Amino acid sequence: MTTPAATDTTDRLVARTTAGAVRGRREQDLTVFRGIPFAAPPVGDARFQAPRPPHPWDGIRDAYAFGPPPPQEAGFQGRAGILDAPTGDDWLTVNVWTPDTEPDPSAARPVMVWIHGGAYKLGHSGSPGYDAQHLARAGDLVVVTLNYRVGIEGFARIEGAPANRGLLDQVAALEWVRDNITAFGGDPGRVTVFGESAGAGSVAALLVMPSARGLFGRAIAQSVPGTYFSEELARDLASAIAAEAGLRPTAADLAAVDPRTLPEAGAALSAKMARRVDRWGQVAPTVTPFSPVVDGEILPTTPWEALAAGAARDVELIVGHNAQEYRLFPVLGGLRGKVTEEQATAVLRLFAPGGGAEGEEAYRSAFPDADAGELYERVQSDWLFHIPSLHLAEAQVAGGGRAHVYELTWPAPGAGGTLGACHGLDIPLLFGTYAADLGNLLFAGAEVTDEARALTALFQRSWTSFARTGDPGWPAYDAQRRLVQVLDAQPEVRPYPEEASRRLWEGHGFPPLPLPLVDKGAGAGDGDGSCRSGEA
């Protein structure tokens, strides 16, 4: 709601943006603003188009509640992850946590901008796991979180619409930060963008997108997925999604369907993807028909290629991953401890560098003591997260930039201690949200120990120090020493721990995934979906 402009405009809870004034709430020692539009609702004639400036408003708009989530599937593994979310078309909003002090341009604070993950098809900045209050306090800085279009609305490659609309939304949010964050006590010249999983893949893309240049000076990418689509793959997947709805893959056809029901078509395709390795290759078992598209314009090339050529040498970078990234997915799917040799062989031949029997043999030789389940997890952890993250750092260094690398090895205490340092564990540790969203599983039935709290303090200290100074507290990565920060009960700086995997993947460039990547008969079948991979 808005209140008349005559309301006390000297109120410290009021900030003036280019579209109008907003009023936040004081929450202990912070002022928090929620649901501020950074773009117009992408509906009507704006549907499937690049984001447009927000509609201005008169008076003072109450910024008390998170904006509605963009249309999306029901949730990861059946978990909605969106609590107390409003409805409506104002999907493109930002939220701001700022220390509660008098605005003073000479004391403007660093700004951290969070991009959530969710396989490019799920997620909402209002999810409790992304509550940024602890991070803002720990670093005495301004934290911004944002919504962006996901799934069909944001990433399907359809006729009559620009590619990568979800990434364009993120650029628009960063432009909003540039133009407005001074009113919230932030310094637009000291912006760090950070994200996890699909959010980290977005950060990697933003590093090399011409439209994002100059909008941030530092970046943190947590568990970068290696999946970027070629035009051919993206268009074929979009055709299959549209076919599920009985439509053509065009903006005109899809815009005739309610945006809240259209995700059903994407979910229907996801349920079938794992059986179509013959058609879609390596992306099929991910059951995720969305990723950034290397379209040659909005995203000119892959992040690895562009960084190696120096595209972001002036941006300081942290990048890293968790030790047992993929383990989350077999645990959630009830496959942990039940992987057969046939299933291990299928994924080794599909995902190992070189592919086929040669790729399988390389992994079995590198890990001679690993059983079927360990090989199943290892190759998918490496292909999907470990090596893309490491190679992003190596590309940045090769291009003349600086990168700091980490690996989280502390195991999640939930699920009977079976999860290890799995995918997503860094989120509750970073935000201190142990009992929210994925933290409900990762810490289920376990006490939040002093070890966990110490790791949270280390995460927050390192991330906010980097945002403030560019130094997270450990040495930059180089091709000779390969030093990384290992985050565990006893943190240490040491050479990259996954050396066997690093050697296996040396020289692999992570090109855009083609259509198809794997020929029929290459060793990974299209039968029972036993190659099912995870969601980024």
Side-chain angles (χ1 to χ4, degrees), residues 265-279:
L269 180 65
S270 293
K272 302 174 182 179
M273 283 182 66
R275 300 178 184 272
R276 295 306 311 271
V277 173
D278 61 320
R279 179 170 176 178

Side-chain angles (χ1 to χ4, degrees), residues 56-190:
W57 59 86
D58 296 323
I60 301 174
R61 178 178 178 137
D62 290 338
Y64 298 160
F66 292 112
Q72 57 191 265
E73 297 176 25
F76 171 65
Q77 297 289 338
R79 292 173 168 83
I82 299 173
L83 306 177
D84 302 321
T87 59
D89 298 331
D90 236 341
W91 313 328
L92 303 182
T93 59
V94 294
N95 318 295
V96 183
W97 287 257
T98 186
D100 185 20
T101 58
E102 288 283 355
D104 181 357
S106 67
R109 293 176 167 87
V111 182
M112 298 187 72
V113 180
W114 171 253
I115 301 176
H116 67 75
Y120 302 105
K121 64 180 182 179
L122 304 167
H124 174 224
S125 64
S127 293
Y130 307 140
D131 185 345
Q133 61 171 310
H134 306 300
L135 196 59
R137 289 190 183 102
D140 188 35
L141 42 66
V142 178
V143 182
V144 178
T145 66
L146 61 97
N147 282 352
Y148 58 98
R149 281 172 286 180
V150 295
I152 297 168
E153 301 291 329
F155 289 96
R157 189 68 176 107
I158 57 178
E159 182 183 334
N164 300 308
R165 297 173 298 280
L167 297 179
L168 293 177
D169 292 344
Q170 295 166 14
V171 171
L174 287 166
E175 291 173 337
W176 183 93
V177 169
R178 177 196 62 197
D179 297 340
N180 294 284
I181 205 64
T182 301
F184 300 84
D187 182 351
R190 285 194 293 170

Side-chain angles (χ1 to χ4, degrees), residues 115-454:
I115 301 176
H116 67 75
Y120 302 105
K121 64 180 182 179
L122 304 167
H124 174 224
S125 64
S127 293
Y130 307 140
D131 185 345
Q133 61 171 310
H134 306 300
L135 196 59
R137 289 190 183 102
D140 188 35
L141 42 66
V142 178
V143 182
V144 178
T145 66
L146 61 97
N147 282 352
Y148 58 98
R149 281 172 286 180
V150 295
I152 297 168
E153 301 291 329
F155 289 96
R157 189 68 176 107
I158 57 178
E159 182 183 334
N164 300 308
R165 297 173 298 280
L167 297 179
L168 293 177
D169 292 344
Q170 295 166 14
V171 171
L174 287 166
E175 291 173 337
W176 183 93
V177 169
R178 177 196 62 197
D179 297 340
N180 294 284
I181 205 64
T182 301
F184 300 84
D187 182 351
R190 285 194 293 170
V191 174
T192 299
V193 63
F194 68 128
E196 182 267 351
S197 196
S202 298
V203 168
L206 290 167
L207 281 166
V208 303
M209 288 171 58
S211 60
R213 194 159 296 143
L215 294 176
F216 56 93
R218 297 184 178 117
I220 304 173
Q222 303 169 210
S223 303
V224 180
T227 51
Y228 291 78
F229 290 174
S230 65
E231 278 272 347
E232 297 77 14
L233 176 63
R235 288 189 183 278
D236 193 66
L237 285 163
S239 295
I241 293 169
E244 292 288 343
L247 301 169
R248 297 175 302 162
T250 68
D253 270 24
L254 294 172
V257 179
D258 188 312
R260 290 161 190 81
T261 63
L262 194 54
E264 295 170 5
L269 180 65
S270 293
K272 302 174 182 179
M273 283 182 66
R275 300 178 184 272
R276 295 306 311 271
V277 173
D278 61 320
R279 179 170 176 178
W280 293 307
Q282 287 177 314
V283 75
T286 69
V287 298
T288 301
F290 308 105
S291 274
V293 181
V294 179
D295 67 310
E297 181 181 355
I298 293 168
L299 183 58
T301 187
T302 65
W304 301 275
E305 183 178 348
L307 289 183
R313 63 167 59 98
D314 56 337
V315 179
E316 296 166 320
L317 175 66
I318 290 177
V319 61
H321 58 72
N322 305 343
Q324 290 84 32
E325 288 276 4
Y326 187 76
R327 186 171 297 173
L328 175 68
F329 308 109
V331 170
L332 289 176
L335 194 60
R336 174 76 173 156
K338 301 177 183 178
V339 175
T340 66
E341 283 293 338
E342 290 76 16
Q343 289 171 319
T345 293
V347 298
L348 287 168
R349 294 189 175 195
L350 180 61
F351 295 115
E358 181 182 348
E360 177 195 358
E361 179 54 34
Y363 254 83
R364 291 189 184 276
S365 296
F367 303 98
D369 299 325
D371 64 21
E374 291 167 336
L375 289 168
Y376 181 90
E377 292 178 11
R378 164 62 67 174
V379 70
Q380 295 189 84
S381 289
D382 287 348
W383 174 77
L384 191 55
F385 297 115
H386 287 173
I387 306 303
S389 298
L390 179 67
H391 282 197
L392 197 76
E394 292 180 339
Q396 176 71 339
V397 173
R402 190 175 74 178
H404 299 263
V405 178
Y406 74 88
E407 182 178 52
L408 173 63
T409 56
W410 186 81
T418 62
L419 287 162
C422 67
H423 189 62
L425 177 59
D426 46 316
I427 297 175
L429 288 175
L430 173 62
F431 285 94
T433 50
Y434 313 110
D437 299 342
L438 195 55
N440 280 320
L441 169 68
L442 302 180
F443 288 83
E447 180 186 358
V448 179
T449 62
D450 289 342
E451 275 187 7
R453 297 189 189 282

Side-chain angles (χ1 to χ4, degrees), residues 3 7-17 20-25 31 33 59-61 103 183-184:
T3 53
T7 300
D8 183 11
T9 57
T10 63
D11 188 340
R12 288 171 50 197
L13 300 180
V14 173
R16 298 197 171 277
T17 76
V22 291
R23 179 185 290 105
R25 275 195 174 129
T31 301
F33 301 81
I60 301 174
R61 178 178 178 137
F184 300 84

Side-chain angles (χ1 to χ4, degrees), residues 406-410 455 458-459 463 485-489 491-492:
Y406 74 88
E407 182 178 52
L408 173 63
T409 56
W410 186 81
L455 266 175
L458 178 57
F459 259 110
W463 267 223
Q485 174 69 69
V486 175
L487 298 167
D488 209 323
E492 63 174 332

